[in-house]
Amino acid sequence: MMHDIAVLGGGPAGMAAATEAARRGARVVLLEESAAPGGQVYRAPPTGFVVPADADSRVGDALRAALRQSGAEIRPGCRVWGVGGGPLVPQGMAAAPFRLDALAPDGQSFAVEARALVLCTGTHERIIAFPGWTLPGVLGLAAATILLKAHGVLPGRRVVVAGAGPLLYAVAAKLLKAGAEVAAVVDLAHSREWVRALPALAARPDLLARGVAWRAKLLARGIRVMAGAQVSAAAGGEVLERARVGDTWIDCDALCVGHGLVPATEATRAFRAAHRYAAAEGGWVPVLDADQRCSVPFLYAAGDGAGVRGAAAAPASGRLAALAALHDLGMLPDHAAARAAPARDLARAARAGGAMARMMALRPELVQAIPPETVVCRCEGVTRAEIDAACADGAGDMNQMKQFTRCGMGPCQGRLCGETAAELVAMHCGGRERAGFATGRLPLRPVAMDALLGDFDYADIPVPNAAPI
Ligand SMILES: Cc1cc2nc3c(=O)[nH]c(=O)nc-3n(C[C@H](O)[C@H](O)[C@H](O)COP(=O)(O)OP(=O)(O)OC[C@H]3O[C@@H](n4cnc5c(N)ncnc54)[C@H](O)[C@@H]3O)c2cc1C
């Protein structure tokens, strides 16, 4: 069946986009790789898990309920590995609708087609490499929220929480609540940066109050908060045993560290949409108009994947994208009236979200401090020294550096190392715009060959005739 609109990603942006479009009569399909829609912030616990309700779970449940009632076709547990159609049609062939190839929960690949595509793919966590960052026991700050929310599992008993932005305090407070010992909170931001963000945060008193409550909890429990500080090394035998901050080693069995969030632009890059570099929004983001339209006709991006603005802003941008798609498909006559409320909501939420995103922007001094022998690309085992050497040998942008070193060619496809590598290349070639980004390639996610091929017999493979001599 041809859908009017396909939505890739079931976080707050994708849920709101699909709900808005389906409520207004469009045939909508939403694909999400997790077992249920919710995204990172409103991740649903696995079936059978009873997790006490909190503010996030209530918002997530409301978004999920609205999505269910909207009539949109919801396809959870479906990992999209391929995007096609739209502009990706071979020259000379008729224009095609958009096509998404996905793996179903049973491991079979299937495709959906739609006349318009809304990308709501969220973010990846940024972790700038440091000595010892690949030791078991070191994990992402945001990744720790998945362990806590989706599995009810503590990352460790005695945990150092380090990095930037509101997730730092959210994770520390959640760890305390779940019974872990928080050995220290190591905040890259100085206290004055938080003070500077206060006026913007005042636009969302609810979020501000939540942040204050997290800080108060840490204070009440006497947790050490080290402002303007960073973890410079992690060490241990087989697993993490301690983390270094300045001249101090702190004993711990888990280090949750995150240096911000990076928009997930694999799909917009694969479509060759125009992008711009916006450090304060997390990095490379698709170029959008005020209604979330990409440079490619009938392609839209919303939520943090279009520039980090936080969970509160995501649904409004998803709704704007859906309304623009409906309008462009000729299915929404009074677009101006319909967009007014979400546009207002987005502007309000983006003020506070933008201040937090700026705090999570990449800090180049972390990259400058990486020792040469430190592994940057853990999939391919590429060190900083090898990236520097490739640049010295003439690699002038991310694609060339990737070809010289294999950095970013492993299963994570640069999601983990890309930011560090790009900043290193930028230091040699004169900035992130010049360093560019690795060309978007399929598959978007690792996919097993047998899922793509299905059953086949070697005898069926056509053997070409011998070439004439
Ligand atoms: C690991 C992680 C944890 C976070 N935890 C929190 C938190 O606890 N609190 C908080 O306030 N903010 C958290 N954030 C930030 C938060 O994600 C965003 O502010 C907010 O969720 C943005 O909503 P979104 O809809 O844009 O993206 P997301 O909520 O990230 O949703 C994107 C969705 O797209 C899906 N997706 C992406 N690519 C594919 C694909 N190829 N196939 C199928 N599905 C795909 C993902 O599974 C995901 O569900 C976290 C971010 C990360 C990366």
Side-chain angles (χ1 to χ4, degrees), residues 13-366:
M15 289 193 287
T19 304
E20 183 74 45
R23 270 185 187 158
R24 290 176 182 268
R27 282 163 306 181
V28 177
V29 61
L30 177 141
L31 292 121
E32 164 57 49
E33 67 181 323
S34 302
Q40 303 296 0
V41 55
Y42 306 131
R43 184 173 289 275
T47 319
F49 270 53
V50 182
V51 177
D54 62 11
D56 279 349
S57 67
R58 279 187 282 274
V59 179
D61 287 346
L63 285 167
R64 271 185 288 272
L67 174 64
R68 269 195 308 274
Q69 285 157 15
S70 71
E73 180 185 342
I74 309 166
R75 309 251 353 217
C78 294
R79 170 173 294 181
V80 173
W81 60 266
V83 289
L88 302 179
V89 179
Q91 229 176 8
M93 281 181 63
F98 290 98
R99 173 185 165 130
L100 296 176
D101 285 278
L103 285 179
D106 65 3
Q108 295 298 309
S109 196
F110 68 96
V112 300
E113 290 190 323
R115 298 197 290 149
L117 175 58
V118 181
L119 300 168
C120 302
T121 47
T123 51
H124 310 305
E125 189 161 20
R126 178 192 298 120
I127 302 178
I128 302 298
F130 55 88
W133 76 289
T134 53
L135 270 176
V138 182
L139 72 159
L141 192 59
T145 67
I146 299 180
L147 265 189
L148 287 162
K149 273 189 247 182
H151 306 284
V153 170
L154 287 174
R157 292 273 159 218
R158 184 174 156 82
V159 188
V160 171
V161 186
L167 271 180
L168 191 64
Y169 295 96
V171 169
K174 280 187 170 69
L175 284 170
L176 278 180
K177 193 172 170 193
E181 180 189 350
V182 175
V185 175
V186 187
D187 191 343
L188 281 172
H190 291 272
S191 306
R192 59 176 178 276
E193 290 179 61
W194 284 102
V195 172
R196 266 204 303 270
L198 280 178
L201 286 177
R204 286 300 305 255
D206 51 334
L207 299 182
L208 182 58
R210 212 196 284 188
V212 169
W214 291 331
R215 293 288 293 253
K217 189 180 247 177
L218 297 177
L219 197 68
R221 298 280 290 270
I223 307 296
R224 183 164 32 152
V225 176
M226 304 162 91
Q230 72 184 73
V231 168
S232 56
E238 299 275 294
V239 297
L240 174 76
E241 290 167 18
R242 55 200 171 276
R244 181 177 176 160
V245 183
D247 294 332
T248 312
W249 283 96
I250 304 172
D251 289 341
C252 56
D253 62 359
L255 165 61
C256 302
V257 58
H259 300 127
L261 300 171
V262 184
T265 55
E266 299 98 309
T268 47
R269 280 188 279 134
F271 278 116
R272 311 290 184 256
H275 288 73
R276 64 188 171 88
Y277 186 72
E281 294 170 52
W284 286 99
V285 292
V287 174
L288 301 175
D289 73 1
D291 289 293
Q292 312 295 130
R293 291 183 184 91
C294 292
S295 59
V296 171
F298 298 101
L299 184 69
Y300 313 79
D304 278 0
V308 178
R309 285 287 175 264
S317 70
R319 290 177 63 201
L320 276 180
L323 292 169
L326 288 171
H327 178 65
D328 297 347
L329 291 171
M331 300 176 74
L332 181 67
D334 200 355
H335 181 230
R339 74 179 295 284
R344 206 176 39 240
D345 291 350
L346 178 60
R348 182 164 162 257
R351 221 182 139 219
M356 291 300 92
R358 281 192 290 281
M359 205 165 273
M360 291 191 287
L362 188 142
R363 296 176 188 241
E365 61 274 19
L366 295 181

